[in-house]
Amino acid sequence: MTAPLVGLAGALTLTACGVPPTGVIEAGEPASGMFSPAPRPTAPVVVSLHFLRDGDLTAYPRELEEPADLGAVVGRLFGGPTASEAETATTALPRLKRAPDVTAGDDAVSVQLPDGLAPLCSGTDGR
């Protein structure tokens, strides 16, 4: 018998606080989720570019600040070694004025070089 009385007392307390019930108040757009003020910067990515060192292909790690897509990586490869890498590294690839068009499939990568470019040398054993 005390449980129903406690429930009734609680209900009377909540309804007797002096605030009259109201209908829906139109106050603009409904609330939506929180938004980030700006996109978060991406973390640098380290990729390995291979250049010739004493006639052998050698990996040289490069840190890319922008998101590393395949086209950007191939563009850096055709950009050649940096000044500090050039102390030990060389390349037989031509320097390009713009990045080549790169597409990737399930089992192949296609690199479309600009028209008028001399054929690539064959001294890299097809690597």
Side-chain angles (χ1 to χ4, degrees), residues 41-114:
T42 58
V45 176
V46 176
V47 297
S48 291
L49 299 180
H50 290 77
F51 298 112
L52 296 172
R53 180 179 184 163
D54 297 327
D56 294 322
L57 283 175
T58 305
Y60 288 82
R62 287 270 186 97
E63 188 173 277
L64 302 179
E65 295 296 327
E66 69 272 2
D69 64 52
L70 189 56
V73 173
V74 171
R76 295 286 177 100
L77 182 63
F78 276 91
T82 63
S84 62
E85 293 168 344
E87 294 175 9
T88 59
T90 61
T91 183
L93 296 174
R95 300 279 178 149
L96 301 178
K97 293 182 178 163
R98 66 173 184 83
D101 294 325
V102 179
T103 56
D106 291 334
D107 58 353
V109 174
S110 172
V111 179
Q112 181 66 43
L113 299 175

Side-chain angles (χ1 to χ4, degrees), residues 14-25:
L14 291 175
T15 58
C17 65
V19 178
T22 61
V24 175
I25 299 173

